Amino acid sequence: MSGSHTYKFDVTMTCGGCSGAVDRVLKRLKENESNIVSYTVLLDEKSANVTVDDESPALYEKILRTIKKTGKGVNSCVELDSNGNKIRDVDVVLKDE
């Protein structure tokens, strides 16, 4: 697989404060990670979508850990190709949990 792809996280968010917290941490992460192309946080869909151009497990784990630091639950994650087609389900349990 090459090119950009998106991780679609199903995140427990119930209000604007919840989605704002996730948005803030992803914004900071994007500023520090050149391999994060873009992100969106959608309260109505209870999702955080992060588009990356790096397939490394370390980057995925960093994104997952960053979202979980907000205290919001991450229920599932799907990896999508650049056309929005599902590639695979991705584990949302961190190694040290």
Side-chain angles (χ1 to χ4, degrees), residues 5-52:
H5 57 280
T6 300
Y7 294 112
K8 182 174 184 176
F9 296 91
D10 174 11
V11 183
T12 303
M13 297 183 286
T14 57
C15 65
C18 295
S19 61
V22 174
D23 186 78
R24 281 188 299 279
V25 297
L26 289 176
K27 179 181 180 183
R28 276 193 298 256
L29 184 61
K30 182 181 182 305
E31 290 170 354
N32 295 310
E33 286 291 334
S34 62
N35 291 323
I36 296 177
V37 177
S38 65
Y39 73 91
T40 56
V41 178
L42 304 169
L43 175 59
D44 58 331
E45 293 182 16
K46 297 183 178 357
S47 70
N49 306 313
V50 182
T51 301
V52 300

